[in-house]
Amino acid sequence: MSDDHTHVQEFFSARAADWDDRFPDDGPAYAAAVAELKLRPGDRVLDAGCGTGRGLPPLRAAVGPSGVVAGADLTLAMLAAATRAGRHREGRLLLADVAALPLRSGSLDAVFAAGLIAHLPRPAENLRELARVLRPGGTLALFHPIGRAALAARQGRRITPDDLRAEGNLGPLLARSGWRMTSYVDEDARFLALAVRED
Protein backbone atom coordinates (compact mmCIF):
# COMPACT_ATOMS: atom_id res chain seq x y z
CA MET A 1 0.00 0.00 0.00
CA SER A 2 1.29 3.48 -0.81
CA ASP A 3 1.53 6.36 1.64
CA ASP A 4 -1.47 7.93 -0.10
CA HIS A 5 -4.29 7.29 2.36
CA THR A 6 -7.05 8.32 -0.04
CA HIS A 7 -8.07 4.71 -0.78
CA VAL A 8 -8.31 3.81 2.93
CA GLN A 9 -10.26 6.98 3.71
CA GLU A 10 -12.66 6.41 0.81
CA PHE A 11 -13.17 2.75 1.75
CA PHE A 12 -14.02 3.47 5.38
CA SER A 13 -15.89 6.74 4.75
CA ALA A 14 -18.33 4.88 2.50
CA ARG A 15 -18.95 2.27 5.21
CA ALA A 16 -18.83 4.32 8.41
CA ALA A 17 -22.56 5.01 8.82
CA ASP A 18 -23.55 1.34 9.02
CA TRP A 19 -20.26 -0.22 10.16
CA ASP A 20 -21.56 -1.17 13.62
CA ASP A 21 -24.80 -2.53 12.16
CA ARG A 22 -22.79 -4.86 9.90
CA PHE A 23 -20.90 -6.35 12.86
CA PRO A 24 -23.32 -6.11 15.81
CA ASP A 25 -21.96 -9.08 17.79
CA ASP A 26 -18.30 -8.07 18.11
CA GLY A 27 -18.59 -6.43 21.54
CA PRO A 28 -17.67 -9.51 23.62
CA ALA A 29 -14.63 -10.22 21.41
CA TYR A 30 -13.40 -6.65 21.90
CA ALA A 31 -13.89 -6.91 25.67
CA ALA A 32 -12.03 -10.24 25.82
CA ALA A 33 -9.11 -8.84 23.78
CA VAL A 34 -8.86 -5.74 25.98
CA ALA A 35 -8.81 -8.00 29.06
CA GLU A 36 -5.68 -9.69 27.63
CA LEU A 37 -3.84 -6.34 27.84
CA LYS A 38 -4.10 -6.58 31.65
CA LEU A 39 -4.57 -2.84 32.01
CA ARG A 40 -4.69 -1.29 35.46
CA PRO A 41 -6.65 1.66 36.80
CA GLY A 42 -4.84 4.85 35.86
CA ASP A 43 -3.11 3.41 32.77
CA ARG A 44 -2.85 5.41 29.53
CA VAL A 45 -3.98 3.61 26.38
CA LEU A 46 -4.46 4.37 22.69
CA ASP A 47 -6.93 2.67 20.36
CA ALA A 48 -4.94 3.02 17.11
CA GLY A 49 -7.16 3.02 14.04
CA CYS A 50 -10.16 3.14 16.36
CA GLY A 51 -12.81 3.35 13.62
CA THR A 52 -16.22 3.73 15.23
CA GLY A 53 -14.67 3.36 18.67
CA ARG A 54 -15.88 -0.12 19.58
CA GLY A 55 -12.73 -0.67 21.64
CA LEU A 56 -13.16 2.50 23.70
CA PRO A 57 -15.79 1.29 26.23
CA PRO A 58 -13.82 -1.80 27.37
CA LEU A 59 -10.60 0.25 27.42
CA ARG A 60 -12.26 2.88 29.63
CA ALA A 61 -13.67 0.18 31.90
CA ALA A 62 -10.18 -1.31 32.26
CA VAL A 63 -8.32 1.93 33.11
CA GLY A 64 -11.12 3.53 35.11
CA PRO A 65 -11.89 7.23 35.53
CA SER A 66 -8.29 8.04 36.48
CA GLY A 67 -6.90 6.50 33.27
CA VAL A 68 -6.41 8.10 29.88
CA VAL A 69 -8.08 6.68 26.76
CA ALA A 70 -7.60 8.06 23.26
CA GLY A 71 -8.80 6.82 19.90
CA ALA A 72 -6.96 7.83 16.73
CA ASP A 73 -8.29 7.32 13.23
CA LEU A 74 -7.51 8.64 9.77
CA THR A 75 -11.14 8.78 8.65
CA LEU A 76 -13.35 11.62 9.85
CA ALA A 77 -16.53 9.70 9.00
CA MET A 78 -15.52 6.86 11.35
CA LEU A 79 -14.86 9.32 14.18
CA ALA A 80 -18.24 10.95 13.49
CA ALA A 81 -19.88 7.51 13.79
CA ALA A 82 -18.03 6.96 17.08
CA THR A 83 -19.40 10.27 18.34
CA ARG A 84 -22.96 9.44 17.25
CA ALA A 85 -22.65 6.15 19.18
CA GLY A 86 -21.62 8.14 22.29
CA ARG A 87 -18.17 6.58 22.44
CA HIS A 88 -16.48 9.99 22.56
CA ARG A 89 -17.49 9.97 26.23
CA GLU A 90 -15.15 7.01 26.84
CA GLY A 91 -12.01 8.71 25.50
CA ARG A 92 -10.61 11.52 23.41
CA LEU A 93 -11.01 11.07 19.65
CA LEU A 94 -8.13 12.21 17.43
CA LEU A 95 -8.17 12.65 13.67
CA ALA A 96 -4.63 11.36 13.20
CA ASP A 97 -2.45 9.07 11.14
CA VAL A 98 -0.92 6.26 13.20
CA ALA A 99 2.23 6.76 11.11
CA ALA A 100 2.76 10.16 12.80
CA LEU A 101 0.93 10.29 16.10
CA PRO A 102 0.54 13.64 17.89
CA LEU A 103 1.67 12.06 21.17
CA ARG A 104 4.81 12.35 23.29
CA SER A 105 7.35 9.53 23.20
CA GLY A 106 6.88 7.05 26.04
CA SER A 107 3.57 8.60 27.08
CA LEU A 108 1.38 5.46 26.96
CA ASP A 109 1.16 2.11 28.72
CA ALA A 110 -0.61 0.20 25.94
CA VAL A 111 -1.83 0.34 22.34
CA PHE A 112 -4.89 -1.55 21.14
CA ALA A 113 -5.13 -1.96 17.35
CA ALA A 114 -8.18 -3.69 15.89
CA GLY A 115 -7.95 -4.57 12.22
CA LEU A 116 -5.16 -2.05 11.71
CA ILE A 117 -2.13 -3.95 10.47
CA ALA A 118 -3.56 -4.78 7.03
CA HIS A 119 -3.98 -1.04 6.36
CA LEU A 120 -0.50 0.14 7.35
CA PRO A 121 1.39 1.57 4.37
CA ARG A 122 4.83 0.83 5.84
CA PRO A 123 4.27 -1.83 8.51
CA ALA A 124 7.75 -1.87 10.09
CA GLU A 125 7.98 1.92 10.20
CA ASN A 126 4.41 2.28 11.43
CA LEU A 127 4.89 -0.31 14.17
CA ARG A 128 8.01 1.61 15.26
CA GLU A 129 5.84 4.71 15.60
CA LEU A 130 3.47 2.78 17.86
CA ALA A 131 6.48 1.64 19.89
CA ARG A 132 7.69 5.25 20.15
CA VAL A 133 4.60 6.41 22.03
CA LEU A 134 4.80 3.52 24.54
CA ARG A 135 6.95 3.30 27.62
CA PRO A 136 9.49 0.44 27.64
CA GLY A 137 7.59 -2.70 28.63
CA GLY A 138 4.32 -1.29 27.30
CA THR A 139 2.00 -3.69 25.49
CA LEU A 140 0.57 -3.81 21.97
CA ALA A 141 -2.53 -5.83 21.05
CA LEU A 142 -3.09 -6.54 17.35
CA PHE A 143 -6.67 -7.77 17.24
CA HIS A 144 -9.42 -8.79 14.88
CA PRO A 145 -12.78 -10.19 16.03
CA ILE A 146 -12.39 -13.14 13.65
CA GLY A 147 -9.33 -15.12 12.62
CA ARG A 148 -7.43 -14.95 9.34
CA ALA A 149 -9.16 -17.92 7.68
CA ALA A 150 -12.66 -16.74 8.65
CA LEU A 151 -11.88 -13.21 7.46
CA ALA A 152 -10.52 -14.46 4.13
CA ALA A 153 -13.65 -16.59 3.63
CA ARG A 154 -15.88 -13.59 4.44
CA GLN A 155 -14.02 -11.52 1.85
CA GLY A 156 -14.02 -14.30 -0.77
CA ARG A 157 -10.24 -14.63 -0.95
CA ARG A 158 -7.50 -17.06 0.05
CA ILE A 159 -4.78 -16.57 2.66
CA THR A 160 -1.45 -16.02 0.94
CA PRO A 161 2.01 -16.88 2.32
CA ASP A 162 2.92 -13.18 2.49
CA ASP A 163 0.03 -12.35 4.88
CA LEU A 164 1.57 -10.05 7.50
CA ARG A 165 -0.61 -11.59 10.19
CA ALA A 166 0.80 -15.10 9.73
CA GLU A 167 2.77 -15.97 12.86
CA GLY A 168 5.97 -16.62 10.90
CA ASN A 169 5.76 -13.18 9.28
CA LEU A 170 4.40 -11.16 12.19
CA GLY A 171 6.94 -12.23 14.81
CA PRO A 172 9.98 -11.10 12.78
CA LEU A 173 8.19 -7.93 11.64
CA LEU A 174 7.49 -6.99 15.25
CA ALA A 175 11.07 -7.81 16.25
CA ARG A 176 12.40 -5.47 13.54
CA SER A 177 10.08 -2.76 14.82
CA GLY A 178 11.05 -2.69 18.50
CA TRP A 179 8.65 -5.34 19.81
CA ARG A 180 8.80 -8.86 21.22
CA MET A 181 5.75 -10.98 20.46
CA THR A 182 4.56 -12.69 23.64
CA SER A 183 1.46 -14.54 22.43
CA TYR A 184 -0.32 -15.38 19.20
CA VAL A 185 -3.86 -16.71 18.70
CA ASP A 186 -5.44 -17.21 15.27
CA GLU A 187 -8.70 -19.11 15.47
CA ASP A 188 -12.08 -18.65 13.81
CA ALA A 189 -13.47 -16.68 16.75
CA ARG A 190 -10.57 -14.20 17.02
CA PHE A 191 -7.11 -13.05 16.04
CA LEU A 192 -4.94 -11.64 18.82
CA ALA A 193 -1.20 -11.08 18.86
CA LEU A 194 0.34 -9.45 21.92
CA ALA A 195 3.76 -7.84 21.97
CA VAL A 196 5.87 -5.95 24.49
CA ARG A 197 7.90 -2.90 23.63
CA GLU A 198 11.58 -3.67 24.07
CA ASP A 199 13.79 -1.23 26.02
Side-chain angles (χ1 to χ4, degrees):
M1 181 183 290
S2 73
D3 286 330
D4 178 7
H5 297 304
T6 305
H7 174 72
V8 172
Q9 289 171 315
E10 287 175 351
F11 178 88
F12 285 106
S13 292
R15 292 160 176 79
D18 68 345
W19 189 262
D20 288 351
D21 295 334
R22 294 173 63 203
F23 309 107
D25 302 321
D26 287 349
Y30 273 78
V34 167
E36 296 284 337
L37 277 171
K38 301 192 182 340
L39 295 166
R40 297 170 304 223
D43 275 355
R44 300 153 299 165
V45 61
L46 171 69
D47 186 346
C50 67
T52 62
R54 292 179 295 169
L56 298 178
L59 290 170
R60 171 56 67 196
V63 303
S66 64
V68 173
V69 177
D73 202 273
L74 189 64
T75 306
L76 185 59
M78 284 297 217
L79 296 177
T83 300
R84 283 192 304 276
R87 296 180 185 129
H88 64 292
R89 291 189 286 270
E90 309 294 346
R92 183 173 174 202
L93 297 176
L94 307 169
L95 181 62
D97 185 348
V98 299
L101 290 164
L103 300 169
R104 288 189 328 272
S105 296
S107 61
L108 300 174
D109 298 295
V111 171
F112 181 77
L116 177 69
I117 194 164
H119 301 288
L120 295 178
R122 298 174 183 256
E125 227 175 86
N126 303 149
L127 288 167
R128 275 194 289 278
E129 173 65 358
L130 295 180
R132 179 190 67 79
V133 299
L134 251 67
R135 62 170 174 77
T139 306
L140 169 68
L142 298 174
F143 165 71
H144 199 283
I146 60 175
R148 293 186 311 126
L151 182 62
R154 176 192 285 176
Q155 296 173 342
R157 60 177 177 81
R158 298 173 63 100
I159 295 176
T160 60
D162 62 345
D163 183 346
L164 286 180
R165 293 161 293 189
E167 187 172 10
N169 296 333
L170 186 58
L173 171 63
L174 287 165
R176 290 193 307 274
S177 307
W179 302 94
R180 177 175 49 84
M181 192 161 68
T182 57
S183 70
Y184 181 92
V185 175
D186 181 17
E187 52 198 23
D188 282 349
R190 72 171 175 165
F191 174 90
L192 181 64
L194 297 177
V196 171
R197 184 197 153 185
E198 299 280 39
D199 294 340

